[in-house]
Amino acid sequence: CLTQLEAKFFLEEEQKGSWEEGTVINISRKGMGIKFHTHKKINTGSIIHLAIIVSGEPDPIMTKGALEWIKQKENYFIGGIELTEELDDDKWDKLC
């Protein structure tokens, strides 16, 4: 489904990585398209942890996956993540 959900992310390989801003722009059961609001290049294969903010939900929806592709746009990056675990019905219903 196409969406515009605020998200925070960090890279697993960074020992003291801080949460950075992003936007989830589309979702499937096995993957997500993400707009990364960062100037830092993220390498394909990186494991990305996501906290997706859903209005009406007290806690963010947590998931993670491997970056399959990434492209640089004007002042951000856009990429595709293959999720480590397929979204269950509960998470899917909240996100889409």
Side-chain angles (χ1 to χ4, degrees), residues 14-76:
E14 291 184 0
Q15 292 296 329
K16 294 184 178 177
S18 59
W19 290 92
E20 297 196 49
E21 302 287 327
T23 305
V24 176
I25 55 175
N26 64 48
I27 300 171
S28 74
R29 292 273 186 169
K30 296 181 180 182
M32 295 185 179
I34 312 281
K35 186 177 183 179
F36 298 100
H37 304 292
T38 182
H39 298 290
K40 181 173 56 178
K41 176 80 165 103
I42 304 169
N43 297 317
T44 55
S46 294
I47 302 300
I48 297 177
H49 292 255
L50 284 165
I52 305 164
I53 299 13
V54 178
S55 66
E57 290 297 319
D59 299 311
I61 294 177
M62 306 299 291
T63 190
K64 72 176 181 175
L67 186 65
E68 292 296 310
W69 61 269
I70 190 160
K71 293 180 185 172
Q72 185 166 6
K73 298 292 184 181
E74 290 178 21
N75 59 348
Y76 62 91

